Amino acid sequence: MRAVPPSVSSKGRRSAAGGNVPVVIKAVLRVWDNVNWKATVEPVGVLPTYLTSIPVARNIPDAEMVLGRYVAVQTFGVGKAQEAVVVAVWT
């Protein structure tokens, strides 16, 4: 059996301490830019904070991006909002 360093999981990704584990944030869509396919979102459950110019997955139809709907924002670690992407939208 191979020893795995404590900061690396069995799947080869770093733990939260290493900052490379994907994090999904529930947020509310506040601004939708259908020309550049980017969104501004407000994470749910935190003080009023906005994440701006977040890229949106191209498989989400423009008609689904209605202001006020919930979106799932995936980041690649806590505090890495610059690497975030909107991956889902729902009512």
Side-chain angles (χ1 to χ4, degrees):
M1 181 185 243
R2 186 179 79 167
V4 177
S7 66
V8 178
S9 72
S10 62
K11 294 182 180 178
R13 294 183 289 186
R14 292 194 177 276
S15 67
N20 290 333
V21 174
V23 176
V24 178
I25 301 167
K26 180 179 179 181
V28 178
L29 181 64
R30 295 299 182 200
V31 177
W32 168 236
D33 177 1
N34 65 345
V35 174
N36 297 310
W37 221 259
K38 294 191 178 207
T40 295
V41 300
E42 180 181 7
V44 174
V46 297
L47 294 173
T49 304
Y50 287 85
L51 302 175
T52 59
S53 297
I54 304 296
V56 177
R58 296 290 180 151
N59 64 329
I60 300 175
D62 179 48
E64 295 294 326
M65 298 299 287
V66 177
L67 302 184
R69 292 185 79 183
Y70 288 112
V71 295
V73 179
Q74 183 173 3
T75 66
F76 298 97
V78 177
K80 294 190 176 186
Q82 71 277 11
E83 296 178 2
V85 63
V86 175
V87 295
V89 61
W90 70 95
T91 307

